[in-house]
Amino acid sequence: MLFTFPLFAKAQESKNFFEAGVLFGFNAAQIDGDRLFGFHKVGLNAGVFGGFPIHKKNFYVRFELLYSKKGSRMTNLDINNNPGKNYIATLNYAEIPVLISYRDKDGKTQLGLGISYSRLFSATEQIDFLETPNAINYFKKRDLCYVADISFMANKNIGVGLRYNYSMLYIRHFANYTYNGATLINPYFGTNQFNNY
């Protein structure tokens, strides 16, 4: 599950009502399938957006270009109260959401649905305090997600929103995985994994 709390700032509005601005917020993320629970991985979500109306100014198309940090985190006593256990995955994506949004007549509330394509450009993974060498090679380089969000505008130019994002395709699949010299048929941290934030 991904929650973002972006601030929207409208940069310009032309005669055809094209809008653009900046977003800034945070993800609370986890990876479904790693057998750890809780949205403990906090990461930056920030970028720019543009949009234009497609029906009487109530429906509009919105495009975004974001940096989005996803992953999973469970450390120290959080794993069966065992201080010798930890798991941290950090996945850094360039993300392009495309949404169809509805704006109520006074412009105060916006609802959006769409898809998001992400490209993984760096990744780190730590298992029991040991770094996984070349961790990026174990993850899919692309992530295609469902997106849903709701935003509330404080005024014409600034608002706050909440967003949910979930992978349509797995980001990692294990069919016999070698870690630290051992082959794991059913690795502790899952076989099919999905971003959820």
Side-chain angles (χ1 to χ4, degrees), residues 2-3 13 68 78 99 106 110 116 130 132 166 176 179 187-188:
L2 159 69
F3 293 100
E13 185 170 345
S68 186
D78 293 327
L99 297 93
D106 60 6
Q110 302 175 28
S116 178
L130 297 175
T132 300
Y166 196 94
N176 297 346
Y179 170 71
Y188 174 80

Side-chain angles (χ1 to χ4, degrees), residues 8 23 45 48-50 62-66 95-99 149 163:
F8 303 96
L23 301 96
N45 186 301
V48 296
F49 73 88
R62 180 178 174 131
F63 303 89
E64 301 174 358
L65 178 60
L66 306 173
E95 185 173 0
I96 305 174
V98 179
L99 297 93
D149 73 6
R163 174 168 293 182

Side-chain angles (χ1 to χ4, degrees), residues 127 132-133 138 174-185 187 189:
I127 305 168
T132 300
Y138 295 107
F174 294 117
N176 297 346
Y177 173 66
T178 301
Y179 170 71
N180 201 23
T183 298
L184 307 176
I185 302 300
F189 35 91

Side-chain angles (χ1 to χ4, degrees), residues 74-140:
M74 192 67 72
T75 59
N76 298 328
L77 297 177
D78 293 327
I79 301 180
N80 299 323
N81 293 322
N82 186 342
K85 297 289 186 180
N86 91 321
Y87 180 79
I88 302 172
T90 301
L91 309 177
N92 297 302
Y93 288 91
E95 185 173 0
I96 305 174
V98 179
L99 297 93
I100 302 295
S101 295
Y102 170 79
R103 179 181 297 167
D104 65 4
K105 62 181 180 180
D106 60 6
K108 295 293 186 182
T109 304
Q110 302 175 28
L111 302 172
L113 292 173
I115 60 174
S116 178
Y117 174 78
S118 299
R119 188 72 180 176
L120 182 67
F121 63 86
S122 71
T124 60
E125 184 178 46
Q126 186 183 87
I127 305 168
D128 296 345
F129 304 98
L130 297 175
E131 292 287 338
T132 300
N134 303 311
I136 193 170
N137 296 329
Y138 295 107
F139 293 91
K140 298 289 186 181

Side-chain angles (χ1 to χ4, degrees), residues 5-76:
F5 300 89
L7 292 176
F8 303 96
K10 191 184 298 182
Q12 61 184 6
E13 185 170 345
S14 66
K15 292 182 180 180
N16 62 357
F17 301 104
F18 177 81
E19 298 176 356
V22 298
L23 301 96
F24 177 81
F26 296 94
N27 299 338
Q30 69 175 13
I31 296 176
D32 279 4
D34 65 3
R35 303 183 188 180
L36 304 175
F37 303 98
F39 301 98
H40 303 298
K41 183 63 178 178
V42 177
L44 181 65
N45 186 301
V48 296
F49 73 88
F52 55 88
I54 55 176
H55 179 69
K56 298 181 179 178
K57 301 181 185 178
N58 293 115
F59 290 91
Y60 65 102
V61 177
R62 180 178 174 131
F63 303 89
E64 301 174 358
L65 178 60
L66 306 173
Y67 163 77
S68 186
K69 180 174 285 188
K70 310 177 189 181
S72 180
R73 180 182 181 90
M74 192 67 72
T75 59
N76 298 328

